[in-house]
Amino acid sequence: MTPFELMEPQTLQEAVGLLDPDDASVRPVAGGTALMLMMKAGVFAPTRLVSLQHIGAQHSEIGVSGAGELRIGAMATLSALERNTKAAEAFPVIARMLPRLSNVRVRNVACVGGALAHGDPHMDLPPVLAALGAKVSIVGPKESRDVAVDELYTGYYETVVGRNELIADVIVPAMQSRKAAYLKITARSADDWPALGVAVALHADGNTLRDVRLVASAATAMVMRLTEAEKILNGASADDATLKRAGDAAVAEAPIIGDIRGSVAYKRELLRVGVGRAVRQALSSRPTH
Amino acid sequence: MAQVGRGIPRLEARSKVTGRAEYTHNLRLPGMLYAKVFRSTVPHGRIVRIDTSAAAALPGVERVVTGEDIRKVIPEPYYGPAFHDQPILALDKVRHVGEPVAAVVAADPHVAEQAVQLIEAEYEELPAVYDEVEAMTSQAIVHEVLKPAGTFADLKHLAGKTGTNVALDFHLTRGDTDKAFAGADHVFEHTFRSQQALHLAFEPFVAVAEPGDGMVTVHTSNQTPSFVRMEIARLLGWQENQVRVKVPLLGGGFGAKVYVKLEPLVVALALIVRRPVKVALTMEEQFYMITKHPTTFRIKSGVTKDGKITARECEVHWNGGAYADIGPRVCQKSGFTAPGPYDIDHIKIDSYELYTNRTPCGALRGFGIPQLVWAYECHTDIIARELGIDPVEMRRKNILREGRPQATGTKMKDAAIEQVLDALAEQMPWSKPFDRGTGVIRRGRGIAIGFKASISPTTSVAIVNVSADGSASLNMATTDMGQGSDTIMAQIVAEVLDIQAEHVRVMHTDTDITPYDMGTLGSRSTFHMGHAVRLAAEDAKAKLAALAAEAGLPPGTNYPPSEIFVKRYGMRAGNVIGSGTYIPTYQSPDKTTGMSENVTPFWMIGGTGAEIEVDTETGKVRVTRLVNVADCGTPINPRIATTQLSGGATMALGFTLFEDMVLDGGQVTNASLADYKIPGMHDIPPMYNELVDAKQSNGPFGAKGLGESATFGVSPAIANALDDAVGIRLTDLPMTPEAVLRALRAKEGRPLEDDA
Amino acid sequence: MSVARTIHFTLNGRKVSTEIEPHHNLVELLQRFDLFGARESCGQGLCGCCTAVVDGQPVSGCLYFAVMVDGKSVTTVEAFDADGALSKVQQAFIDHGAFQCGFCTPGFVLMTHQLLQDKPNPSDDDIRDYLSGNLCRCAAYPEIIAAVKAAARAGR
């Protein structure tokens, strides 16, 4: 790795001021794991890193409101979220997903904000939060704005977060009577990056599904909603024929990309069965308190 | 108390759990510099220009070195155990992506790394060849000139074929296969392929060279210290006693760290800059050093209607990559076992070692045997199923039994093939009904057995030093890379001298004082070094008895050694040095027929049983149980021996299901642990391990080698289980979920459709 | 442009300080103190050979900026036998032969200590989940699981 300048601002606003909208070699660093990987691989050589370490305490609170809304400070580590019993009770899908997200050491260091801002489509947290209808508040030099997680991504490692903006908070709407699941299919070792991720959140009125939010990851260049498949599922019952139609619709709408974890043709088949499996898993999940 | 047969913990256990174990990785010397390597980006090309000026100008850079600079200290800078074909840094040509082209030396490794990125090279690209079968006829010739090394007795005949990519071809003919095929009830022919895979030792290759006064010291993570000394001395034109090689513990080896690897480079650099130089590879760089041979194996068998194999033809193409390394021995040594552990009258073997433009391929835990067993045990199973014969019965009908001639004509001795097969069948248990399932998840089971000859003829020498207080030290060049050799050799010393094994000190190799050993490889140490250590300890014991006699002690009485020394020297003083040398007998295979009366001092037998679940919608195979059985004679340390079984089987599981170096235009596209996955905690099935009750009659205390045996049968056992579960037959490794799903869908007549 | 800075931290219970450049990682920092139990192997935080504990949390030293330990407390495997006696986890690893080459072992030992602190009686699944980010190429996994259970029974 090559030398660089390290800045350690004390406030979020100060941090934003140290970022440069026109210089890609200036980046914020929270936990630093993903960034360090890119630096070691020689794909990123920063001139300046803006460490968010000293502003972490102010932006790492995790709380569930009386109405059941989950608010996560972007600097909260993934393991802090994992250990938060209130969040786990209110959002079992997050609690089930976290123990298999990367590994303990990464979760201890990596922050929720970084995991969302990195833009790697293989990550587990973005599709789950997208399915749950979460939004992030993004702080820039002048103002802050809210963006839905499913609208955060514009391409492979590309997001709407500007070079001089930071994600400050994540807000996940209450589960209420929703059910949710995250299906992660690996093609090689069990702890590999997924070949496909499918996240789903839905209401079940007896046999009828509604408010289905279905999200694909890993097999596509970015985390994305599968709206055509959602249309088929909404108002229908989760029988074999419907799930199969939804799977086919997902395959028709998702721009799947091939990689060493599977060809396009193979990942299509994974998505085709993955949609139904994710919905069934959500339906059989235990309800929230 | 008997020391041999005790399941004691490893002698170095405490140092390993406290993080204080000594590895070359840790070594830092005063004034030491670090070197980083600039590597080829093209698979085959003539070097037009290397521009090192920007790198040399970077502040902190001590020196930038190219292949031509190496010539100033080593005029003929080519090395290798079989051919002297590998330049220390590329000269004239590059032959694979990742080949070292230049090196930067600096006090700060980050500076060296930064400087490497400033080097520019221009190549005139040449046509390249990657496939082992295409290499037979390709116009792309990897080496225009071949230079046999002539180092090892078993490779003395090595010549290669100039103007081709054939480094070695081995042929064996026994009986008349054409005639036998004509008379057979059935003839089966299949072709199986295996992939390029990586050892991936967790201590990546690392070496330090330290120039001295008329000598050089090499600290290295290496399985063959004696060869390193010999080869470095040869390269420098020095005497062996001017080269000192020190090897502490190894953080894994698996056959990667054999012969010389980084050592010639660090020595050359250290002599150029006249300072100690360390080269420590990253995990990514390991993908450009040495790998496992990809193979194509066409196998053809003539069989009677009741399942007796009458004839077998084996044509094996070994993809050796850009430099021969020890590939020619893999091709020959493993080649002659290609028909499997079966009693077959008519045999023909053609085994070819080919140069290609890939990372060089050498030995990986099995020396080519797993690639062969993959083919012959799938083939055997297909035949059994086609003929409606139970796969276990099929094998029972055909296995080699004691006294029967193997393909080379060497008669089987102390090879517990039937016992291993029986133990597998019993532990599965094969005779019990098996539920194959009906829904999305289907289940299946399969078995496979394999065998291997030892490396021969090879020499081991050991020294046992008894101090005046009676404590004993063992000095040998066998290196402990986790297999437990230090511990079991100490047990042998202790057994002979009647002391506690834990009290024997096993010295780390230092060739200034450590005698010769051919190498810690091919599961040869327990047998060869085991004998040498036994002989050294017996020699020490005899000398102690002689000392007692000199001291006037009556013969036959059991004086503790410490008292013998005091009696003889009047105080606690003196040493007794016992030495032992062992080399087994051997007859080289005949150059035309491949026949030999005595092709190996012992046989290793390994078998695997697998139960699996197949997700028929995703193609995912989950191994639900592995049964690992081997014949290692009588184990010196049963506990350590058993962990060799589960460890070997797990490694082979990775090679079976997902490990694969993916190549695109000669470039490895997954050269990292993020993209090349190995088995972890969640991938391990429940395992049952068994060492059959056996004795190697010519082995030390009845023992023989084991490190590779559990790797033999894993791939075909799983492939056979897959066939059993869902009726598909995969012939290529690895058996990824995608490969399985594609085969399933092809069988259903609705193949996966790829975009044009 | 790159400025070495002085950092102060607690290392295995001792207050220390050193000068370090921002592009150095925690493994390099530990080597300065002659601590070699944390080893960089895969360089990607996947194998666990470089595990160190920072403020009570295990991290991958190869992906951890050294400057970030400023003001924090760092524990390495070398802390466990500081008084000459092995920890119960270390003893269990020896008793169960839970390693071969030993290169990954310090990482497993540190992670096991941490696991047992969080979950004194871990199930097999707990052990597999928690240790799945530590790889062992020699594949001593069955013995490691047995050792973790034994250490749990012995109360760490």
Side-chain angles (χ1 to χ4, degrees):
Chain A
M1 295 201 304
T2 49
F4 54 86
E5 181 185 28
L6 183 77
M7 310 296 280
E8 296 183 283
Q10 302 296 316
T11 67
L12 197 61
Q13 275 312 318
E14 198 190 329
V16 168
L18 289 167
L19 297 170
D20 185 334
D22 303 317
D23 187 349
S25 73
V26 176
R27 291 272 295 254
V29 52
T33 51
L35 211 55
M36 195 117 151
L37 278 173
M38 294 168 76
M39 290 165 63
K40 285 184 151 191
V43 296
F44 176 58
T47 54
R48 176 196 292 172
L49 289 184
V50 179
S51 167
L52 306 179
Q53 230 197 157
H54 293 297
I55 61 177
Q58 311 142 47
H59 296 278
S60 56
E61 278 179 32
I62 301 169
V64 180
S65 74
E69 181 187 84
L70 171 64
R71 210 175 171 90
I72 313 165
M75 286 295 290
T77 61
L78 295 171
S79 61
L81 181 58
E82 186 180 1
R83 279 195 288 264
N84 189 293
T85 49
K86 286 208 174 95
E89 278 168 20
F91 295 88
V93 64
I94 295 178
R96 283 193 302 268
M97 172 265 293
L98 281 168
R100 294 296 284 269
L101 183 157
S102 187
N103 62 49
V104 176
R105 295 181 309 280
V106 166
R107 297 199 296 275
N108 281 341
V109 173
C111 297
V112 170
L116 289 172
H118 196 53
D120 180 345
H122 299 94
M123 289 175 143
D124 299 318
L125 189 63
V128 172
L129 292 186
L132 292 173
K135 62 183 180 185
V136 294
S137 68
I138 299 174
V139 177
K142 295 205 176 66
E143 54 186 12
S144 67
R145 60 191 172 118
D146 287 354
V147 175
V149 172
D150 61 336
E151 287 169 5
L152 200 51
Y153 303 102
T154 54
Y156 196 64
Y157 284 89
E158 286 172 15
T159 69
V160 299
V161 184
R163 286 200 183 116
N164 58 346
E165 290 185 317
L166 291 168
I167 293 177
D169 288 291
V170 182
I171 301 107
V172 192
M175 276 303 276
Q176 296 173 325
S177 63
R178 289 189 297 170
K179 295 177 166 215
Y182 173 59
L183 180 76
K184 174 171 169 175
I185 300 182
T186 60
R188 301 180 305 178
S189 70
D191 300 300
D192 191 9
W193 290 106
L196 169 71
V198 181
V200 66
L202 50 80
H203 280 286
D205 275 348
N207 281 332
T208 309
L209 307 176
R210 57 181 181 81
D211 299 333
V212 178
R213 291 176 64 90
L214 184 67
V215 176
S217 63
T220 46
M222 58 182 188
V223 169
M224 61 178 297
R225 289 270 296 275
L226 300 168
T227 49
E228 295 302 317
E230 287 175 3
K231 280 181 201 157
I232 289 169
L233 294 169
N234 275 321
S237 69
D239 53 47
D240 285 356
T242 303
L243 295 178
K244 186 176 178 310
R245 275 198 300 133
D248 290 343
V251 168
E253 70 180 302
I256 290 174
I257 51 168
D259 59 19
I260 51 171
R261 290 165 185 89
S263 67
V264 171
Y266 177 65
K267 288 187 178 181
R268 267 196 214 121
E269 298 313 304
L270 290 185
L271 182 60
R272 208 184 297 282
V273 298
V275 167
R277 287 186 182 193
V279 170
R280 285 216 171 91
Q281 203 173 302
L283 289 172
S284 66
S285 65
R286 73 179 166 84
T288 50
H289 298 270
Chain B
M1 175 186 177
Q3 298 297 314
V4 160
R6 288 176 68 207
I8 57 170
R10 290 158 203 277
L11 296 187
E12 77 289 0
R14 192 182 174 101
S15 78
K16 284 181 172 170
V17 298
T18 57
R20 293 186 170 82
E22 189 190 349
Y23 302 97
T24 309
H25 180 89
N26 308 352
L27 185 69
R28 294 183 305 172
L29 298 170
M32 188 176 86
L33 303 173
Y34 295 84
K36 293 278 179 184
V37 178
F38 172 79
R39 296 171 182 279
S40 171
T41 50
V42 302
H44 197 194
R46 248 168 237 303
I47 300 171
V48 177
R49 187 179 61 91
I50 306 170
D51 184 353
T52 59
S53 53
L58 188 73
V61 169
E62 187 77 20
R63 193 72 151 256
V64 185
V65 176
T66 64
E68 290 302 330
D69 299 324
I70 300 273
R71 282 194 196 274
K72 288 166 201 156
V73 286
I74 301 174
E76 268 301 307
Y78 293 92
Y79 62 89
F83 287 95
H84 294 155
D85 59 1
Q86 193 156 7
I88 295 173
L89 292 172
L91 287 161
D92 312 325
K93 277 213 324 186
V94 288
R95 296 179 177 86
H96 68 97
V97 171
E99 175 164 4
V101 172
V104 178
V105 185
D108 180 344
H110 293 281
V111 170
E113 187 190 318
Q114 203 183 342
V116 161
Q117 288 162 16
L118 300 174
I119 297 176
E120 285 179 13
E122 193 187 312
Y123 308 98
E124 176 200 333
E125 283 209 52
L126 299 168
V129 60
Y130 309 115
D131 180 87
E132 59 275 11
V133 177
E134 282 169 24
M136 286 291 286
T137 51
S138 173
Q139 296 303 305
I141 301 298
V142 182
H143 291 268
E144 289 77 12
V145 181
L146 295 169
K147 289 167 281 185
T151 311
F152 291 104
D154 64 325
L155 296 173
K156 284 280 190 225
H157 60 291
L158 192 63
K161 289 187 173 173
T162 304
T164 76
N165 289 313
V166 178
L168 178 139
D169 54 323
F170 170 78
H171 306 281
L172 181 149
T173 314
R174 190 154 164 255
D176 186 340
T177 46
D178 285 342
K179 216 167 123 187
F181 285 142
D185 295 330
H186 304 275
V187 176
F188 296 89
E189 182 174 341
H190 305 102
T191 299
F192 298 89
R193 294 167 61 92
S194 69
Q195 82 281 34
Q196 191 168 24
L198 194 71
H199 309 73
L200 212 140
F202 273 8
E203 181 193 32
F205 290 93
V206 55
V208 180
E210 189 184 359
D213 186 8
M215 56 91 69
V216 64
T217 303
V218 185
H219 308 262
T220 179
S221 182
N222 188 293
Q223 299 173 225
T224 57
S226 302
F227 182 85
V228 173
R229 185 195 204 204
M230 206 186 299
E231 188 73 344
I232 295 297
R234 182 189 68 78
L235 284 164
L236 295 171
W238 292 5
Q239 298 193 114
E240 279 193 41
N241 65 6
Q242 292 174 282
V243 180
R244 179 182 191 186
V245 180
K246 296 185 74 174
V247 180
L249 295 170
L250 271 62
F254 313 112
K257 299 172 178 174
V258 294
Y259 307 107
V260 293
K261 292 290 184 290
L262 285 178
E263 297 82 1
L265 177 63
V266 285
V267 166
L269 295 176
L271 293 180
I272 288 169
V273 300
R274 300 183 190 186
R275 301 256 298 267
V277 174
K278 181 174 191 172
V279 176
L281 295 196
T282 62
M283 189 59 87
E284 178 187 344
E285 286 178 296
Q286 296 211 97
F287 288 79
Y288 307 119
M289 180 65 96
I290 193 76
T291 63
K292 180 180 185 178
H293 281 76
T295 51
T296 301
F297 184 170
R298 188 181 60 77
I299 182 166
K300 182 177 175 184
S301 296
V303 189
T304 65
K305 56 181 181 299
D306 59 351
K308 178 81 186 88
I309 305 165
T310 54
R312 184 164 276 186
E313 257 179 32
C314 303
E315 186 186 50
V316 194
H317 290 94
W318 303 86
N319 192 326
Y323 296 101
D325 198 83
I326 200 57
R329 179 179 286 144
V330 171
C331 171
Q332 170 176 308
K333 206 91 218 168
S334 294
F336 68 66
T337 69
Y342 299 113
D343 195 338
I344 306 169
D345 288 338
H346 303 278
I347 290 173
K348 187 164 181 290
I349 301 170
D350 298 294
S351 184
Y352 302 93
E353 175 76 14
L354 280 313
Y355 283 115
T356 62
N357 295 108
R358 298 168 77 138
T359 302
C361 307
L364 197 169
R365 208 168 192 171
F367 234 85
I369 295 295
Q371 291 98 312
L372 299 174
V373 185
W374 159 238
Y376 66 65
E377 282 300 84
C378 283
H379 179 68
T380 301
D381 229 62
I382 298 171
I383 296 172
R385 282 165 203 276
E386 293 265 336
L387 298 183
I389 300 171
D390 177 86
V392 170
E393 279 317 305
M394 175 78 190
R395 288 171 175 85
R396 214 167 251 143
K397 204 183 281 277
N398 286 288
I399 50 172
L400 278 163
R401 288 164 206 278
E402 200 74 359
R404 292 290 301 162
Q406 185 268 345
T408 56
T410 296
K411 292 191 170 66
M412 299 306 289
K413 185 158 171 43
D414 297 332
I417 300 168
E418 187 170 15
Q419 253 175 288
V420 168
L421 184 61
D422 287 346
L424 272 183
E426 189 184 327
Q427 291 305 330
M428 287 300 284
W430 197 257
S431 57
K432 293 270 164 59
F434 185 76
D435 176 12
R436 286 178 177 75
T438 50
V440 169
I441 305 292
R442 299 297 176 92
R443 304 180 69 245
R445 59 180 178 168
I447 58 150
I449 53 169
F451 78 142
K452 179 179 186 286
S454 180
I455 312 277
S456 211
T458 61
T459 302
S460 291
V461 186
I463 292 172
V464 170
N465 181 349
V466 182
S467 295
D469 66 349
S471 67
S473 306
L474 171 62
N475 193 342
M476 61 171 181
T478 295
T479 59
D480 202 320
M481 50 190 151
Q483 83 281 31
S485 53
D486 282 3
T487 307
I488 68 144
M489 297 303 171
Q491 287 180 260
I492 290 175
V493 171
E495 176 76 31
V496 174
L497 295 181
D498 196 20
I499 53 179
Q500 280 287 106
E502 292 89 333
H503 297 167
V504 176
R505 166 95 191 283
V506 181
M507 330 248 297
H508 288 161
T509 302
D510 174 350
T511 59
D512 264 12
I513 51 167
T514 304
Y516 176 87
D517 177 48
M518 183 268 187
T520 311
L521 50 84
S523 304
R524 67 176 287 282
S525 300
T526 299
F527 185 90
H528 294 82
M529 185 56 83
H531 270 311
V533 168
R534 174 185 60 81
L535 291 167
E538 285 170 2
D539 186 37
K541 192 176 183 177
K543 284 176 174 160
L544 277 172
L547 201 67
E550 280 176 41
L553 296 166
T557 45
N558 227 355
Y559 282 94
S562 57
E563 286 184 28
I564 300 174
F565 282 100
V566 172
K567 278 262 189 251
R568 175 65 185 81
Y569 299 116
M571 59 178 285
R572 184 178 283 190
N575 281 87
V576 154
I577 312 271
S579 70
T581 299
Y582 183 78
I583 181 167
T585 58
Y586 170 75
Q587 187 189 65
S588 190
D590 182 90
K591 278 179 195 58
T592 47
T593 65
M595 291 295 123
S596 164
E597 293 283 303
N598 181 14
V599 81
T600 178
F602 65 93
W603 297 98
M604 287 161 266
I605 319 296
T608 307
E611 287 181 12
I612 66 165
E613 278 179 9
V614 189
D615 183 330
T616 53
E617 288 181 343
T618 64
K620 185 98 177 170
V621 170
R622 196 165 75 87
V623 178
T624 50
R625 186 157 176 265
L626 269 187
V627 175
N628 311 308
V629 183
D631 163 24
C632 70
T634 311
I636 307 281
N637 184 321
R639 212 160 70 141
I640 292 178
T642 305
T643 62
Q644 284 294 299
L645 287 186
S646 53
T650 301
M651 197 169 194
L653 186 70
F655 297 141
T656 302
L657 295 179
F658 42 80
E659 293 189 37
D660 187 9
M661 285 173 61
V662 180
L663 210 64
D664 181 8
Q667 170 76 50
V668 181
T669 61
N670 60 336
S672 76
L673 197 56
D675 291 323
Y676 180 100
K677 304 310 292 183
I678 65 170
M681 279 273 176
H682 285 122
D683 299 295
I684 308 308
M687 280 188 270
Y688 171 84
N689 304 306
E690 179 174 334
L691 298 166
V692 297
D693 185 16
K695 187 173 182 345
Q696 181 66 31
S697 53
N698 63 341
F701 306 97
K704 62 181 165 189
L706 171 74
E708 302 159 312
S709 305
T711 67
F712 299 166
V714 175
S715 301
I718 291 173
N720 296 339
L722 189 58
D723 193 346
D724 186 51
V726 291
I728 58 166
R729 177 55 65 172
L730 296 193
T731 55
D732 283 20
L733 286 174
M735 295 184 273
T736 61
E738 174 159 357
V740 172
L741 189 70
R742 280 180 183 276
L744 276 167
R745 295 286 293 271
K747 183 177 169 243
E748 291 167 15
R750 45 183 201 117
L752 286 199
E753 281 174 25
D754 292 289
D755 298 331
Chain C
M1 180 186 60
S2 169
V3 190
R5 60 179 69 196
T6 303
I7 56 170
H8 304 269
F9 62 106
T10 305
L11 180 55
N12 293 335
R14 224 160 37 90
K15 287 198 185 309
V16 295
S17 68
T18 187
E19 230 181 46
I20 190 96
E21 289 191 90
H23 64 285
H24 283 225
N25 68 32
L26 180 53
V27 176
E28 293 169 281
L29 176 65
L30 294 173
Q31 285 171 354
R32 291 194 184 189
F33 291 92
D34 290 320
L35 297 172
F36 296 100
R39 299 147 182 155
E40 178 151 350
S41 177
C42 77
Q44 295 182 306
L46 297 169
C47 68
C49 292
C50 62
T51 301
V53 175
V54 177
D55 278 354
Q57 301 295 319
V59 304
S60 292
C62 77
L63 294 185
Y64 199 94
F65 288 106
V67 291
M68 286 188 175
V69 304
D70 193 16
K72 294 179 180 164
S73 170
V74 179
T75 306
T76 70
V77 71
E78 287 90 348
F80 293 129
D81 68 331
D83 62 356
L86 295 178
S87 73
K88 284 178 178 155
V89 171
Q90 289 172 316
Q91 191 58 52
F93 269 62
I94 293 178
D95 293 344
H96 291 268
F99 49 86
Q100 293 184 25
C101 83
F103 207 72
C104 68
T105 311
F108 274 102
V109 167
L110 278 161
M111 292 296 285
T112 302
H113 272 269
Q114 208 63 34
L115 165 65
L116 297 182
Q117 212 160 66
D118 295 352
K119 288 190 172 141
N121 292 301
S123 67
D124 274 34
D125 279 348
D126 290 336
I127 296 171
R128 283 176 189 256
D129 280 352
Y130 200 89
L131 297 181
S132 65
N134 288 66
L135 297 172
C136 172
R137 190 51 158 166
C138 307
Y141 298 118
E143 295 83 13
I144 291 168
I145 292 172
V148 174
K149 289 183 185 168
R153 282 194 301 274
R156 262 183 291 147

